[in-house]
Amino acid sequence: MNYVIGLIGDVLGGLMYCCYNLLPNYFISIILFTFSTKMVLLPVSLWVQKNSIKMVKMQPEMNFIRAKYFGNGEKISEEQYELYKREHYQPLADLIPLALQLILLMGVIDVINHPEEHIFRGNPGVLDTMLGSLDLSSIPAEVGGTAYLIPLVAAFSAWFMCFIQNKINVLQSEQGKINQMGTMILSIGLSLYLGFFVKTGVGIYWTFSNLFSVLQLYFLNIIMNPKKYIDYEALEKSREELRSASAFERQNKKKFFEKDPYRKKEKADYKRFFRDYEMQLVFYSEKNGFYKYFQNIIETLLEKSDVVINYITSDPNDKVFEMESERFKPYYIGENKLIVLMMKMEADIVVMTTPDLESFHIKRSLVRKDNEYIYVPHDVNSPNLTFRKEALDHFDTIFSSGPLCTKEIRKREEKNRLPEKRIIEWGSGVIDNMIRSYDAMDQREKAVREILIAPSWQKDNILSSCIEEILENLEGHGYRIIVRPHPQFVRHDADRLEYLRGKFHMDERDDMEMQTDFSSNSTVYQADIVITDWSSIAFEYSFATLKPSLFINTPMKIMNEDYEELGITPIDIELRSRIGKSVDLDQLETLPKVVDELLNNNAFSKESLEKIRNEYIYQIGHSGEVGAEYIMDRLAYYKKKHEEEDD
């Protein structure tokens, strides 16, 4: 080892010899020597800069990989390796400058410990190592006094270098605060050590090495500007995706460590679930109230087949537990245990309304590769607009609400060369049930026309942005106005609702009401027109009652920023001008006129809206039968397949 250090010292000593002969001052020659080493290593620094840019350029894709396979370290490593290989990225390249710095440091220490050997090379001479009263050949920890300034200056230079790196270094600036702080502490600590316990000349070298590194960094960013190569907008989107996955994981961990009164039930249901090895069909529901999306299918299956329905819910208070029978078996499985349960799934068919299969916590089975995953939509909205890009990519079968939904899925498959899914022309169980409920109601003529204001729960919804202007423009025009906030708005912004009640004296008048009792949908059916923003209630209302909707053009909620790339207008946008009219936020004074037109124009008559409904929604009134028949056919297929495998 001493031989290697001596060899490095000889090489660097030659450089020091040249520097001293050029400028025969020990202090200045150390500075010139430090600058010379930076110049010699500049090609390496350029290569590292290029490699770092490549790393940050890949960061969006890496973040999406981490979000997609969050918690699956093995899969993340596998995908990351493939990405590195494809991009010809060398992950160890960023360690090269550190390794070279350490090698240089060992050599520099040898040179400064034996300056007479390297500068005079055996020739007699006198080396002036003094800088004023400071001896550059002394060790500050031994001599004290003004020598203590050296470690402090070295530490400051290290802090300054790290501060600048965290701001403008292509790779360092993208690291987390903890990593940045760790690097800074290490650099400052090393600088203090070198300043105190090695010769002062080494401290001088280290200080100027840090300062020259800052200059070099600015130079590298000028000749190879990261902004020309890196899509920082995509990087921020990928960070948001990763933050969402991380937040979900933290939430689950928090829930896991909290005292859970339902843990015993979950444990018992988990064991009970895996006792049934002949399980054929499983439905998964995120929470209470989601049964309505499966209701028609399940009721038809119970009526027309002998299949057992296994119903997993992540809500221990789900009303489905009141329906338990020999052929309908509900299980409470919380989100933590759900991850493992889904990976061990052996059922032939899994039906769910939760998108993003494989992208977040719900994965396809690892023990079986041929089970079928069916996606059932909540509503008739565009999956290309309201979901993430890959939300439905890993399902085998999609129960499609209508032609536009089918068109979007097929176009995405074609554009991204995805395997073709089975698409079932299904429709909407929610709308079918709303139609039946509406038809069963007493359709009496009302003395006063009713307007229902039913906003969404997204950011900048009507209640958050423009409800006061809407009410001020509509009151006094002979309508009865009912404000029906989203249940989540009631939960999270009750003060806002109380303010509106008071301002418009809703509790003291007959022509305006705030309705927060959601036990009945009769108000929705009885209204003559609904006013909303981007809520799917408009489609459900108009297609169930065959009455028009009025849309306020608040900012649109977009989950997929690239929704336009398919070249298909989402149903959320297209239907706004077909089942009603839209009003911009700066035209709210026109509301009375627009409401009057919608209520009296034949373009929005019952017959016209029924024609539009049949054009955009599949199998009106028959979604339950269509869905159940498909599942029964597939279960028969799997049964025959298992029998053939057993033979």
Side-chain angles (χ1 to χ4, degrees), residues 9 49 71 121 145 348 389 415 499 532 536 585 613:
Q49 174 85 345
R121 302 213 165 178
D348 294 323
K389 267 190 182 184
K415 182 177 178 60
Y499 164 76
T532 188
S536 61
L585 290 172
R613 181 179 73 184

Side-chain angles (χ1 to χ4, degrees), residues 51-104:
N51 202 60
S52 297
I53 288 173
K54 191 180 292 184
M55 175 61 188
V56 180
K57 189 178 179 181
M58 292 188 301
Q59 200 66 41
E61 192 169 349
M62 287 179 64
N63 286 342
F64 284 124
I65 289 171
R66 291 186 186 119
K68 181 176 180 179
Y69 301 107
F70 200 89
N72 188 347
E74 185 176 334
K75 185 64 176 175
I76 291 173
S77 297
E78 180 183 321
E79 293 289 324
Q80 190 170 287
Y81 172 75
E82 292 299 323
L83 177 61
Y84 286 172
K85 191 164 70 170
R86 189 187 77 205
E87 298 295 331
H88 306 290
Y89 172 71
Q90 302 295 330
L92 298 179
D94 295 309
L95 297 177
I96 291 175
L98 178 60
L100 290 174
Q101 280 281 65
L102 293 175
I103 292 170
L104 279 173

Side-chain angles (χ1 to χ4, degrees), residues 285-325:
S285 166
E286 295 174 52
K287 58 186 176 180
N288 182 41
F290 277 32
Y291 176 77
K292 66 182 180 182
Y293 303 122
F294 306 121
Q295 180 180 348
N296 297 8
I297 299 171
I298 290 176
E299 288 178 354
T300 306
L301 286 170
L302 292 173
E303 179 187 347
K304 295 187 176 182
S305 77
D306 59 358
V307 66
V308 174
I309 309 293
N310 298 280
Y311 192 97
I312 300 171
T313 173
S314 292
D315 188 341
N317 297 310
D318 201 315
K319 296 294 184 183
V320 296
F321 290 106
E322 300 172 6
M323 301 165 48
E324 187 167 2
S325 67

